[in-house]
Amino acid sequence: MEENKLTAWERMELIRHKGRPTVRDYIPMIFDEFYELHGDRLFGDDAAIIGGIARVHGISVTVLGQVKGHNLEENKKTNFSCPHPEGYRKALRLAHQAEKFHRPVICFIDTPGAFCGVAAEERGQGEAIARNLLEFSQLKTPVISIVLGEGGSGGALALGVCDTLGMLENSLYSVISPRGFASILWKDASREKEAAEIMHMRAEDLVEYGVCDGIIPEAPGGAHMNPQLTAGNIADFILDALKNLTQKSVANLLEARYNKFRKIGVFEEGGQIPPGSVLDDTLPGMDDLPEDGVSVSTEETDLNQVL
Amino acid sequence: MEDGGKDKEESAGKDSRAKIPKNLLFKCPRCGNVVFMEEFNAGLKVCPNCSYHSRISCQERLELTADRGSFVEYDADLTSLNPLEFPGYEEKVAAAQAKTGLKEAVITGECTIRTRRCVIIIMDSRFMMASMGSVVGEKVTRAFERATEKGLPVVAFTASGGARMQEGIISLMQMAKTSAAVARHSEAGLLYITVLTDPTTGGVTASFASLGDIIIAEPKVLIGFAGRRVIEGTIHQRLPDDFQSAEFLLEHGFVDMIVSRVNMRKTVSKLLKAHLPGQKLDL
């Protein structure tokens, strides 16, 4: 794969491109059949998360994904891909169903974050995400997650506790949006461009941190230039991961999944830096960061200020 | 404001005001009631007017909760590094250390509560609003792992502003790491009691704080996922005062009980007793 020279901010603009393929575009390109299943059986059906049963290379899998739209109309329907608790609970229900029928789970992450609103709080947004983290860590079937575009915070992680995490080469995954980061740490949301670079949120950065297991190449110029080609690359990644994961015993699978997250952390213990801890000398230098930039006006709404 | 006159008036008022030593009075952030600090401290830092349970240090919490001399601390020497090389992060941590006498925002260890042994986790909001970075995540995870090994229950007093932004994606991953450790502890059939204290928000609410078998909250404390201002910005209206309070969570089914500070030690110990193994029907 050729080196991707785009800055984090340039990638952010690319993944917010209206034409960027969404999970709804990719599903028919990657899978032979797809049967959408609805609802969390508790409250309702959240259109921000799609779920269902699909077939790929002769086997059944469960597909879950956060749904962006290409235009305002579609985005209104899917709440700009900001799920409510019932979305996460639908995902969990379908994940348990997959476990029952020994189907691998394929999660597509593409969200600015979990929705921040009154109803979301009333229905326990924090609990819904926490429950997914706990349950997915013990799900007795392979879980593969792929970041398609934005991997925004806990709302992304709720579909991100997996055995293998792949990221499209221009996708980003972070603890908060650059805008939120700049607003909280610098009290100046307009410095989001600068924040994007300092946050180390590119796929390459996440490989270094041990979060991301593989970078999936996009079509030259970005996924929207050739969705079919990009979908083919995603399919290859899924197939490779499935080949590897389906050979493992459930006990080994769960042990490896636990350790994947267990080892992430950077700290010092009694003056010593423990082995396995990612050190700053492995990180890219800060010399290539841009000067304090003037902010570029974007269409970003408050929805992106998601914790 | 472009009103020079008013500014002058305000600063004059400030100067002429009798100087009250900073630590003499407590003004409740919830109801605005003012009491003498002595009275406030004697009442376990609870507002006598509205019963808002104010923030206390982890040392104070430990004193109120554990049997005297029973606490043995785990992992006391873990300290943060600066994975993103974020400017000013080391200084911020150093300042919090100097202010609190703590190395990080959480203490963990083993203690007895009215003779009942447990692993205890106490977060301290004075330390960078007890945000969860690598050290908090690691200490909490190790506490659950030790409890699982030793077959002990866990009692966690949570308080947090959420994930520690300065550590980027690594802080987000602590949510997954701690939740997975809770899962293993739970699989082993062990009890986990969460006590939500002021404020429990963001990534901590969306991970181990919401995963207790029994979830207790102190009265009137703030508990939520998203920040209030973020939500107000999204919906463009002011939220009611009790939004994201302990009582709000109880009403919506996310908290088992609200327990006042004065009864907390007793309640927790009784719940620990109710889960002791080897109970037999006394006929």
Side-chain angles (χ1 to χ4, degrees):
Chain A
M1 199 168 102
E2 271 183 49
E3 194 193 341
N4 186 332
K5 293 206 173 66
L6 298 181
T7 64
W9 185 255
E10 285 166 342
R11 295 180 198 196
M12 182 64 96
E13 289 179 319
L14 195 68
I15 61 181
R16 287 179 181 166
H17 188 284
K18 290 274 177 279
R20 187 165 176 90
T22 69
V23 67
R24 279 201 181 275
D25 301 318
Y26 284 129
I27 286 174
M29 296 183 209
I30 296 172
F31 303 101
D32 300 326
E33 297 161 50
F34 179 68
Y35 306 98
E36 188 174 354
L37 304 176
H38 292 274
D40 68 348
R41 302 293 188 271
L42 298 164
F43 177 81
D45 185 46
D46 186 354
I49 291 188
I50 187 173
I53 301 165
R55 303 271 300 166
V56 62
H57 290 275
I59 68 159
S60 300
V61 296
T62 287
V63 173
L64 302 169
Q66 288 145 340
V67 191
K68 284 208 173 178
H70 292 297
N71 51 51
L72 188 64
E73 199 57 39
E74 287 177 17
N75 270 319
K76 269 185 176 166
K77 257 190 212 150
T78 64
N79 200 31
F80 294 83
S81 197
C82 294
H84 277 76
E86 51 272 24
Y88 294 115
R89 291 180 184 129
K90 168 165 77 176
L92 183 58
R93 177 177 80 83
L94 297 178
H96 279 146
Q97 188 189 74
E99 182 180 46
K100 176 178 174 183
F101 296 106
H102 309 286
R103 284 196 290 266
V105 179
I106 322 280
C107 299
F108 293 100
I109 295 170
D110 197 5
T111 179
F115 189 64
C116 293
V118 176
E121 295 291 323
E122 286 174 343
R123 299 201 284 275
Q125 189 70 285
E127 195 275 343
I129 294 170
R131 188 66 51 196
N132 278 21
L133 303 184
L134 182 143
E135 295 288 343
F136 273 81
S137 80
Q138 302 232 314
L139 206 67
K140 296 180 184 67
T141 192
V143 183
I144 300 163
S145 295
I146 291 158
V147 188
L148 297 177
E150 278 183 275
S153 194
L157 185 61
L159 293 185
V161 175
C162 60
D163 302 300
T164 305
L165 180 85
M167 288 178 71
L168 281 182
E169 64 169 298
N170 290 310
S171 70
L172 302 168
Y173 194 1
S174 62
V175 65
I176 189 171
S177 69
R179 193 177 178 82
F181 186 91
S183 152
I184 290 176
L185 293 178
W186 296 323
K187 310 275 176 256
D188 182 1
S190 70
R191 286 169 72 184
E192 58 182 333
K193 230 171 135 175
E194 185 190 347
E197 307 309 323
I198 211 169
M199 289 170 71
H200 297 194
M201 60 199 290
R202 304 169 311 161
E204 299 92 304
D205 303 322
L206 274 84
V207 168
E208 282 191 33
Y209 291 135
V211 175
C212 174
D213 301 297
I215 302 176
I216 305 168
E218 295 180 18
H224 62 284
M225 299 299 284
N226 190 342
Q228 199 70 49
L229 178 72
T230 310
N233 293 341
I234 298 173
D236 290 346
F237 182 89
I238 291 173
L239 201 63
D240 277 353
L242 281 175
K243 269 188 215 154
N244 173 25
L245 297 172
T246 48
Q247 283 170 15
K248 291 189 180 184
S249 69
V250 167
N252 285 346
L253 193 71
L254 294 186
E255 189 63 23
R257 193 183 302 157
Y258 187 82
N259 289 328
K260 175 175 166 60
F261 293 93
R262 180 67 189 85
K263 64 178 197 281
I264 301 172
V266 181
F267 55 88
E268 196 177 36
E269 184 160 16
Q272 300 283 312
I273 295 157
S277 193
V278 185
L279 288 184
D280 39 10
D281 61 357
T282 64
L283 301 176
M286 281 169 41
D287 309 334
D288 47 8
L289 288 181
E291 299 292 311
D292 286 21
V294 183
S295 87
V296 177
S297 84
T298 66
E299 298 169 351
E300 192 176 50
T301 63
D302 286 323
L303 285 178
N304 290 317
Q305 273 225 17
V306 175
L307 280 176
Chain B
M1 209 184 284
E2 295 293 319
D3 187 351
K6 198 173 177 223
D7 272 351
K8 215 186 258 171
E9 200 178 280
E10 270 180 7
S11 64
K14 213 175 190 175
D15 287 341
S16 61
R17 201 175 297 153
K19 283 215 170 140
I20 299 169
K22 213 177 150 193
N23 294 324
L24 199 64
L25 294 174
F26 172 78
K27 187 177 178 194
C28 177
R30 285 262 164 180
C31 71
N33 186 51
V34 177
V35 281
F36 282 110
M37 196 57 93
E38 216 171 290
E39 185 192 338
F40 174 66
N41 287 336
L44 304 178
K45 302 199 173 176
V46 174
C47 171
N49 185 50
C50 75
S51 91
Y52 162 69
H53 280 48
S54 165
R55 297 165 191 182
I56 60 175
S57 71
C58 58
Q59 294 97 334
E60 289 172 303
R61 178 73 65 185
L62 190 63
E63 240 168 75
L64 286 176
T65 311
D67 296 337
R68 194 149 299 164
S70 73
F71 180 68
V72 179
E73 190 174 359
Y74 293 158
D75 307 309
D77 55 356
L78 260 61
T79 48
S80 296
L81 292 169
N82 190 357
L84 299 189
E85 297 182 355
F86 184 73
Y89 181 39
E90 283 107 336
E91 290 78 359
K92 208 150 185 208
V93 170
Q97 287 171 336
K99 187 174 89 179
T100 59
L102 300 169
K103 283 206 166 163
E104 254 294 337
V106 68
I107 59 167
T108 58
E110 230 170 285
C111 71
T112 57
I113 299 174
R114 301 205 327 166
T115 76
R116 285 163 197 128
R117 184 156 294 283
C118 64
V119 165
I120 191 166
I121 296 169
I122 307 175
M123 303 180 84
D124 194 320
S125 63
R126 296 171 307 155
F127 197 107
M128 298 183 71
M129 202 35 86
S131 55
M132 177 160 67
S134 296
V135 174
V136 171
E138 182 73 18
K139 286 176 85 167
V140 169
T141 302
R142 288 188 191 183
F144 274 99
E145 287 176 342
R146 291 219 179 89
T148 308
E149 257 168 51
K150 294 185 172 190
L152 289 173
V154 174
V155 179
F157 290 86
T158 64
S160 182
R164 188 167 298 172
M165 303 296 150
Q166 290 91 339
E167 292 190 21
I169 193 78
I170 294 172
S171 68
L172 186 72
M173 293 301 143
Q174 306 308 309
M175 292 167 60
K177 178 165 132 181
T178 53
S179 299
V182 175
R184 287 193 161 188
H185 182 257
S186 184
E187 276 281 298
L190 298 165
L191 172 68
Y192 170 31
I193 299 173
T194 327
V195 183
L196 309 175
T197 74
D198 201 59
T200 298
T201 61
V204 168
T205 297
S207 63
F208 66 93
S210 293
L211 296 172
D213 297 298
I214 296 172
I215 300 181
I216 302 174
E218 288 194 314
K220 300 287 166 84
V221 301
L222 172 74
I223 306 159
F225 172 65
R228 189 187 184 90
R229 268 178 308 156
V230 176
I231 299 173
E232 284 180 340
T234 308
I235 62 169
H236 304 292
Q237 41 182 302
R238 227 189 87 76
L239 292 161
D241 286 340
D242 69 342
F243 184 68
Q244 296 182 324
S245 65
E247 292 72 16
F248 175 91
L249 266 88
L250 184 76
E251 188 192 327
H252 289 95
F254 292 97
V255 158
D256 286 298
M257 55 178 102
I258 295 176
V259 175
S260 73
R261 197 164 282 166
V262 69
N263 291 323
M264 191 63 80
R265 177 175 142 87
K266 196 170 155 189
T267 306
V268 169
S269 82
K270 294 265 187 201
L271 289 170
L272 290 173
K273 184 186 173 190
H275 292 81
L276 285 176
Q279 299 184 46
K280 285 198 184 107
L281 202 55
D282 190 8
L283 295 171

